[in-house]
Amino acid sequence: MVWRAPARSMDDNSRTNKEKEELDRAIALSLAEDLKRPKGYRWRTDQDEDLARSLQDNSNSSSYPPKYAPSYAPWEYNPNSYRKCSGCNKDIVSGNYLGCMGTFFHPECFLCRACGVPITEYEFSLSGNNTYHKSCFKEMTHPKCEVCHQFIPTNGAGLIEYRCHPFWSQKYCPAHENDNTKRCCSCERLESRNARYMSLGDGRSLCLECMESAIMDTGDCQPLYHSIRDYYEGMNMKIDQQVPMLLVERHALNEAIEGEKHGLHHMPETRGLCLSEEQTVTSILRRPKIGGRGLIGIRTHPQKLIRRCEVTAILVIYGLPRLLTGAILAHELMHAWLRLKGYRNLTPEVEEGICQVLSHMWLESEVVPGSRNMPSTSTASSSSTWSSSKKGGTSQAESKLGEFFMHQIAHDASPAYGGGFRAAYAAVNKYGLRSTLDHIRLTGNFPL
Ligand SMILES: [Zn+2]
Ligand SMILES: [Zn+2]
Ligand SMILES: [Zn+2]
Ligand SMILES: [Zn+2]
Ligand SMILES: [Zn+2]
């Protein structure tokens, strides 16, 4: 009956795969980097300094070959051949020149592909035919941590090892998983050192992008609640009863769960609840203000909820962005719909699964352009009064956030929410929502 934060183990799973992929790439990269600067490509080292100097100086070329010529031949040397600078395409007439793999350069023409400045260092990096300062090449190719903005360090095995979020592809040092770096309670991204997250005062933190559309009090949430009820009505699933909806603090939500006879207390993080017992619930009357890095001045109000039908109220945790709050409301409203329509004794997999499908469908209608038409099973959509309550539409950042919430629902590892969603989603895609619901009513299970 509750919406809780999706279990992250499947994320971890896919992250492991992605990570492995990334790690393979990182290994390949560091190997490639080694290959790109074999000893033969160095201009000079202590041992061959004399050689290099003699080769760079045309007038001194008669001293070649030196006594201790290395076994490899970094500089092709042929005093009788005609030399053209590969940088400026002009002849190299006299003075210093550099040679590498059969090509020659004026020293001022041997440029770093990245910064355009001549390379004067002994060692440089080569990628294809392009030459780079070692530092420029590292800057270009070595992954940087998106939390501390440093190069991601190599691990004990000398490999670049990092974590990567499966949806956002945020790359970061593994250390940030355990160094109290804040994670946004809504989008899971880690706090970057140059962006400050907002503390919600109950152990949760919110990134500024999620904060942008966060819903902070019960009044704030009413238009969204009504638009989602309209969404149900548009699918010919009108909820006639006036079920109150309250935005609540984290502890108030947890207390309400304790007060429910059939609450699922073991869930790690609960975000919404479809209440069926009579309770007094403390709701948020006035939104808190931003003070420093946290929120202050929240005003709450105890509210006695009277049971008039199968459903007493819908509770949602405060402080989440509009699309996540809406996804939770869509989920809880489906619980309400099932109860009010007399669906009884469904397994958690079936009930949570179908509720997640409605949540996913609503998100899709918000973020996917052109998906606003009603599901094909709806027969009364033409007479629908459903319309979007949104003004202006969804910003690109908000759409991306919506896609993330859909991804989270689809990849949830828990058997009831994740497994249930995937089974329900397959059934709805095959038979349509209406037939799937009819089948559930008759058999208690999804049609196969
Ligand atoms: Zn639920
Ligand atoms: Zn040149
Ligand atoms: Zn450079
Ligand atoms: Zn880092
Ligand atoms: Zn966020």
Side-chain angles (χ1 to χ4, degrees):
M1 304 304 133
V2 298
W3 170 299
R4 45 57 156 166
R8 292 191 46 213
S9 53
M10 177 170 275
D11 277 1
D12 286 337
N13 216 340
S14 54
R15 180 183 307 161
T16 311
N17 286 335
K18 173 103 185 208
E19 229 166 64
K20 204 181 154 296
E21 205 177 282
E22 297 279 9
L23 195 60
D24 285 347
R25 211 186 302 151
I27 294 165
L29 181 70
S30 65
L31 285 174
E33 220 181 345
D34 281 343
L35 287 173
K36 274 166 199 151
R37 43 180 167 78
K39 284 196 167 68
Y41 293 166
R42 293 178 308 181
W43 288 132
R44 295 185 294 190
T45 64
D46 288 340
Q47 291 93 327
D48 58 16
E49 192 166 12
D50 288 342
L51 166 67
R53 193 180 296 131
S54 69
L55 288 174
Q56 282 179 61
D57 188 349
N58 245 353
S59 62
N60 205 16
S61 59
S62 56
S63 68
Y64 187 85
K67 277 177 189 146
Y68 302 105
S71 55
Y72 53 86
W75 326 115
E76 288 196 9
Y77 176 68
N78 184 348
N80 299 322
S81 78
Y82 161 80
R83 285 183 207 98
K84 203 172 193 139
C85 170
S86 294
C88 66
N89 274 327
K90 291 191 180 114
D91 293 347
I92 297 172
V93 184
S94 63
N96 292 343
Y97 67 90
L98 309 169
C100 174
M101 302 176 76
T103 55
F104 302 93
F105 296 89
H106 295 112
E108 68 275 17
C109 294
F110 189 67
L111 304 179
C112 168
R113 175 84 183 187
C115 69
V117 172
I119 299 169
T120 55
E121 288 78 8
Y122 292 171
E123 291 187 24
F124 62 94
S125 298
L126 189 66
S127 174
N129 288 325
N130 298 320
T131 50
Y132 300 90
H133 289 114
K134 272 185 75 180
S135 56
C136 289
F137 191 74
K138 184 174 182 181
E139 188 69 37
M140 232 173 56
T141 55
H142 190 116
K144 264 194 180 166
C145 172
E146 289 170 48
V147 171
C148 67
H149 307 291
Q150 307 295 310
F151 288 121
I152 291 171
T154 48
N155 64 15
L159 302 170
I160 302 161
E161 183 189 339
Y162 56 83
R163 300 280 178 270
C164 185
H165 189 279
F167 180 84
W168 301 107
S169 299
Q170 184 188 38
K171 284 186 203 138
Y172 53 93
C173 311
H176 303 316
E177 303 242 290
N178 308 306
D179 65 0
N180 294 326
T181 298
K182 286 181 185 145
R183 191 183 281 278
C184 176
C185 67
S186 151
C187 70
E188 295 184 351
R189 278 175 290 191
L190 288 175
E191 182 184 45
S192 141
R193 297 283 185 263
N194 58 18
R196 289 289 167 233
Y197 280 17
M198 189 61 62
S199 165
L200 289 172
D202 54 11
R204 295 181 298 152
S205 295
L206 207 58
C207 76
L208 296 183
E209 211 170 273
C210 288
M211 187 75 193
E212 191 88 335
S213 69
I215 295 188
M216 291 300 195
D217 63 40
T218 299
D220 226 11
C221 196
Q222 293 303 332
L224 181 61
Y225 181 51
H226 287 296
S227 82
I228 294 167
R229 289 179 65 111
D230 288 348
Y231 179 76
Y232 271 80
E233 193 178 338
M235 289 191 300
N236 211 15
M237 292 169 69
K238 188 168 190 284
I239 296 159
D240 296 310
Q241 290 80 354
Q242 285 306 312
V243 179
M245 183 277 307
L246 303 176
L247 216 64
V248 296
E249 289 179 282
R250 191 184 198 178
H251 63 86
L253 185 62
N254 288 331
E255 278 167 23
I257 292 166
E258 296 295 321
E260 281 290 283
K261 280 188 190 131
H262 305 291
L264 300 172
H265 316 301
H266 62 278
M267 292 304 178
E269 169 73 79
T270 302
R271 291 164 161 182
L273 177 66
C274 182
L275 207 67
S276 49
E277 306 297 326
E278 291 205 338
Q279 286 197 36
T280 298
V281 173
T282 304
S283 76
I284 298 172
L285 211 57
R286 198 190 61 196
R287 62 185 305 140
K289 291 188 187 71
I290 296 170
R293 284 185 59 186
L295 297 167
I296 49 165
I298 197 163
R299 208 167 84 200
T300 57
H301 166 73
Q303 206 159 324
K304 173 97 182 119
L305 294 164
I306 311 295
R307 188 180 152 123
R308 293 198 173 86
C309 58
E310 289 292 306
V311 180
T312 320
I314 284 172
L315 310 183
V316 179
I317 197 163
Y318 93 104
L320 298 178
R322 190 185 72 90
L323 288 177
L324 183 52
T325 308
I328 296 165
L329 283 170
H331 175 105
E332 299 305 335
L333 269 172
M334 189 59 195
H335 280 304
W337 187 88
L338 290 169
R339 253 177 254 174
L340 295 169
K341 297 292 172 192
Y343 286 70
R344 291 281 178 275
N345 304 321
L346 298 178
T347 63
E349 196 206 16
V350 170
E351 180 151 357
E352 300 303 343
I354 197 73
C355 289
Q356 287 295 69
V357 164
L358 268 291
S359 186
H360 193 270
M361 277 170 56
W362 178 79
L363 280 169
E364 195 172 14
S365 77
E366 289 288 303
V367 303
V368 180
S371 66
R372 306 206 141 237
N373 39 343
M374 293 299 117
S376 54
T377 48
S378 171
T379 50
S381 56
S382 55
S383 62
S384 159
T385 54
W386 180 81
S387 67
S388 173
S389 69
K390 281 188 308 169
K391 296 168 189 81
T394 316
S395 75
Q396 217 177 349
E398 202 185 5
S399 288
K400 190 78 188 158
L401 209 50
E403 283 169 32
F404 168 67
F405 300 137
M406 288 166 70
H407 168 98
Q408 228 180 1
I409 290 171
H411 295 87
D412 193 317
S414 86
Y417 293 81
F421 167 78
R422 289 181 284 276
Y425 190 73
V428 169
N429 273 334
K430 196 166 172 189
Y431 302 103
L433 182 60
R434 176 60 60 196
S435 305
T436 302
L437 287 169
D438 288 345
H439 190 93
I440 291 172
R441 186 199 286 278
L442 288 172
T443 67
N445 234 316
F446 301 123
L448 290 173

